[in-house]
Amino acid sequence: MSTGWLIGSAVIAVIVAPLVGGLLRGIDRKLTAHMQGRIGPPIIQPFYDVIKLLGKKPMVAGRAQLVFAYGFLALIVTAVIFFVRGQDLLVVLFILFFGSLCLPLGALSVKSPYSQLGGHRELLQFLAYEPILLLAAIPIALKAGGFPIANIFEYGQPLLPDLWLTFVALFIALAIVMRKSPFDISSSEHAHQELVRGVITEYSGPYLALIEIGHWYEMVLLLSILGLFWVVGSLWWLSIIIALGSWFIMLIVDNVNARLTWSWMLKFAWGAGVTLVALNILFINLGWM
Amino acid sequence: MIDSLLGLSIFFPIIAGFICLGIKNHKARGSIVFLTAVVLITSSIFFLRQGSFPIEYSPAPTWGWVILVLNYVILAYFLFVAIKDFAQRGISRHNVLTIALTLAAGIPLAIFEFSQAPHTPLEVAPTLYIDHLSVIMCLIISIIGSLIAVYAIRYMKDHEEHRMHLGELKETTQPRFFFFMLIFLGAMNGLVFANNLIWLAFFWEVTTLACYALIRHDETPIAITNAFRALWMCLIGSVGFSLAIIFLWNSPLNTISLTEVINSGALAYPVLLLPIALLCLAGLTKAAQVPFQSWLLGAMVAPTPVSALLHSSTMVNAGVYLVLRIAPAFQGTHLSTLIAIYGGAVFLITAILAISQSEGKKVLAYSTIGNLGLIILCAGINTSLAIAVGIMLLIFHAISKGLLFLCAGAIEHHIWSRDIEDMEGIATKLPVLTGITIIAMFSMLVAPFGVLITKWGAMEAASGIGVWSTLVLVLLMLGSGATTVFWAKWIGRFLCHSPVPGRAKKEPFIPLYHGILLILIGCAVVLSVLIAAVYNGVIAPGLTEAGYNAASAFTTSAWFLKSSIGIFAAWPIFIIIALALLIPSLATRAKPEESHASYMCGENVEIGTDEFVAVADERTQLKTGGFYIESMLGEGNLNRFVVPIGVVLLVILFVLVVI
C-alpha cells in the first residue's frame, strides 16, 4: 500500500465523517420534530449552529476545561483514523474511551453543581457501556481470527448471522454512548427534556463547537462499528443499511421512552448487555456459533 | 564479578541499614541512604549488562547455617512480639493467630531440617539463580525502591516534625525506620535471586518482618493492630512455604530447588501440584489478594514511603513474582485455569470496592491489589503472550503505583489530609504536584501508557483459552470499566475549582519530592513509548529462559507491538496526545476576560466567588462533592460477600488440586 493512499484514506475519513455525522444529526432533529408534531429546523441546521458557535466569544471557567475540549475532538478523530486504517479494534476502542473520558473530566473541572452532577453521571454511563464495547470486540476477533479491523474484511463472511447476540448488546451500548433515552443519564442528546445540559453545561461558544464536531465523529465511528457486521461479499452495502437502520431504531426508541434512573441503566447494561455478549463468546467457544 | 554484584545488591543495603540504626544525625543518615541508593542502582544496571543468563551461583556452605539460624531467630521474634502484645493488650484474634501460625510455620520446618533432612543445612545447586525475570525484579527493587528511600529522607523529616508539633512524638525514631527500609531492599534482592527454597523462605520472612515493623512504626493503637493483621496473614504464606518444602523433598523429585520444580512441571509429576499450589498460596497472601486484602488496606496507616515501597512497588510484587516464576510448572493443569479466574475475580472486586473509598491511599491500595490480580490472571492464562503481558504489567505497575503513592504523600504533606474530598481544587494551589499526579493517574488509566497496553494484551491473551475465557473476560472487562470510574472521579476532584484570575502560582520546588516524582514520571512515559525496546531487551529473553516461546508472544516492527492476533501502535498515539492535550495545557491560557463564573441559574453573587443567592436572598457557599455510592458499593455492604467469595475460590482451588 502506498504512502499516498495511507494518508489519502485518513484525510478523506477526517473530512467526510463530520459531514455525514452533522447531516445525520440534522435528519435526527427533523424526524424527531415530526414525531412530536413539529416542523423542525432545516436538515443542515447543525452546521449553521456550529458555524455560529465558532464565531462566538470564547468563555471558559478554567484552563482544564479548554484542554479537555481539544482532547475530546483530537482523540476521537484519532480513533476514526485508526479505524479507517484497519487497526486493532480494541486499540480503537481504547482511544475512543480516552476521548470520551475528556468530556466528564472537563465537566468535573468546573466548580458548578450542574456540570459536577453531569460529569459524575457521565462516568456512570461509562461504567455501563465500556464493558459491553470491550467484550463485543472478543467474539468479532474470535470469528475474524484477530483483532485488527482489516481481518474482518479478509474474513470474507458477514459476521451478523453468528454474532447477532453481540449486535443486540452493542445496540444497547451505543444508545448509552449517544445519550438516547432511556439512557440519557448525563444529558440528553436533544435538549428535549432539559434546560441545563448536564455534562456540557459549562461549555459555550467555540469550545462547545469542538465538542459538537467531536460528537459527529463519534456517531459515525460507532455506526461504522455496527456496519462491520456485514461488510463483505456481494451484499456489502447491507452494512450501510444496518448502520442507518440501527440509527433509525435508536431514534424511535429515544422518542418513545422517558429517561430512567442510573441504577436501572447500570443493571440493564451489565445484566442484559454483558450477558448477551458473554453468551455469544461462550457459544463460539463451544462451537455452536 | 557476579559475587561482588550480589554482595552490593544484598549485603550493602543490610550493612547500611545497621549503620543507620546508630546514627542520630539527620544529614549523616540521609547521606548513607543516598549512597545506598547510588550503589543499588549502579549494581542493578551492571546485573542487566551481564552477558550470559542464566547465571548460577552458590556461596560457601557456612552461609547456609547463617540463613538457617536467622530464619528461626526471626520466627522467635514474631513469637516474642505476639506474646508481649498478649501481655500488654490482652488476648486478641491477631496475637493468638500470630502465635499459632508462627508455630505452624516453624515447628514442621524445624523437624524437617534437623531430623528428616540428610544434611543440615540442606544444600541444593545452585543456591542462587539469576535470569532475566529476577534481574527485572532487581531493577524494580533497586531503582524504584532506592528512589523511594531517598524520597523518605525528606518525607520522614516532615512527618516527624508534624507529629512532634501535635505532641504525638518526643524523640526521633528515624534510625529504626531507615534500618528496616534498607534491610528490606537487601532482602528483596536476595528473594528474587534465591533458588534454594529455604533461602527463598528466609528472605520472604525478612520482608514480612520489615513489613510488620514499618506498619507499626508510628506506634498508635491502630498501627499496632494493623501490623499484627499483616503479620499473621503473611505468616499463612510462610506456613505454605514450610509445607511446600517438606512435600517437595518427600516427592519423587526429592529436591528443594525452585528451578528443578519448574523444569519438571506438574503435568509430568501430578504429585507436585499440591506443593506448587502451596507456593501460590504464599504468593497470594503476600500480594494481598482477596480474601487477604484487609492487611494491605490496614497497612495504609504506615508512613507513605512504606506504602510506596512495600505495599505497591516491591514487596507485594514478590507475591506475583513467585506465581509468575512457577507458572511454567502448572501450565496445562486445572490449577492454571482456576488461578486465571481467581485473578479476574480479584481484579473486578477491588475495582468496585475502590469506587466507594474516599481516602486516597485506600483507593491506591485497592487499585494495587486489583492490578496484582491482573498479573495473577495472566499467570493463570499461562500462554507466552499472557506471561509477557504479566511481566510488562509488573514493571509498569511498579513505576506508576510507586509514583502515585509518593504523589499522595507529597500532597498529604501540603494539605495534611488523605481525604480525596479535601483535595478539591488543589490544582490551583499545587499546580506542579497535581499535574504530575494527574499524568501518573493517566498512566494507569488510558491508552497508550504501559499499564493500558498490558490490559490490552491481557484481553487478547484471555480470548484464546477456550471455554473458560468467557468468565475470565467478563471479569476483566467489568473490572476495567470500574477502574475508569474511580480514577476519573479522583482526577475530577483535583481539578474542580472556581475560576481564578491570572496564572496559578507554582508551589516551591522541593528536590526530594518534585525531583523524584519527575524522574519516575519520566520513566513511566519513556518506557511506555519504547515498549517495543523494553520487550526485546528484557522480557523476550526472560520468556525464552522460562521455556516460553517469545516469538509467539509479541513481534516488534517499526516500534509497534504485534501479537499474532493484534497490534498496538503506541508511539503515534503518544504524539497525538502530546499535540492534543499537552500543547493546549502548556501553551494556551484563558484570557482574564474569557473566564466566567459557573452557571447557577443566574443567582451568582459576583464573579470570582463561589457563592450564590439562596432562599431569602441569603448568600450561600457553593459546595460540591464526589460520588461514592457508599450505600451500594461500600465496604460494609460488599465485604459480607467479598471475603466469602475469596475463601470459596481458594477452597475450590485446593480441593481440585488434592483430587
Side-chain angles (χ1 to χ4, degrees), chain B residues 463-488:
Chain B
S463 73
I465 56 163
V467 176
W468 287 105
S469 71
T470 315
L471 181 55
V472 174
L473 284 164
V474 168
L475 294 168
L476 186 54
M477 306 301 189
L478 291 179
S480 173
T483 306
T484 313
V485 174
F486 71 75
W487 286 124

Side-chain angles (χ1 to χ4, degrees), chain A residues 151-158 232-233:
Chain A
N151 280 31
I152 299 171
F153 289 85
E154 287 160 16
Y155 175 53
Q157 282 179 41
V232 286

Side-chain angles (χ1 to χ4, degrees), chain B residues 261-330:
Chain B
V261 175
I262 294 166
N263 293 337
S264 309
L267 269 187
Y269 299 86
V271 69
L272 290 183
L273 215 48
L274 183 60
I276 287 170
L278 286 167
L279 289 176
C280 285
L281 177 70
L284 299 181
T285 54
K286 205 66 159 180
Q289 300 293 291
V290 176
F292 309 110
Q293 85 280 19
S294 55
W295 83 252
L296 189 75
L297 288 149
M300 293 299 122
V301 299
T304 302
V306 177
S307 313
L309 181 62
L310 275 74
H311 306 135
S312 74
S313 60
T314 57
M315 189 184 80
V316 289
N317 267 357
V320 289
Y321 159 80
L322 185 64
V323 179
L324 275 177
R325 164 71 76 194
I326 57 177
F330 56 75

Side-chain angles (χ1 to χ4, degrees), chain A residues 61-103:
Chain A
R63 188 158 48 160
Q65 216 192 349
L66 171 164
V67 171
F68 287 121
Y70 282 116
F72 177 69
L73 178 59
L75 284 162
I76 289 180
V77 172
T78 313
V80 170
I81 295 172
F82 269 60
F83 183 88
V84 175
R85 295 298 329 129
Q87 289 286 318
D88 196 299
L89 183 54
L90 278 178
V91 177
V92 171
L93 288 175
F94 282 130
I95 302 171
L96 176 68
F97 290 157
F98 190 6
S100 308
L101 204 56
C102 287
L103 211 51

Side-chain angles (χ1 to χ4, degrees), chain A residues 60 63 88 114 130 147 202, chain B residues 460 484 565 594-595 599 601:
Chain A
V60 284
R63 188 158 48 160
D88 196 299
Y114 299 100
E130 188 187 314
F147 287 86
E202 294 298 335
Chain B
E460 301 209 337
T484 313
I565 47 170
E594 287 178 6
S595 91
Y599 176 78
C601 303

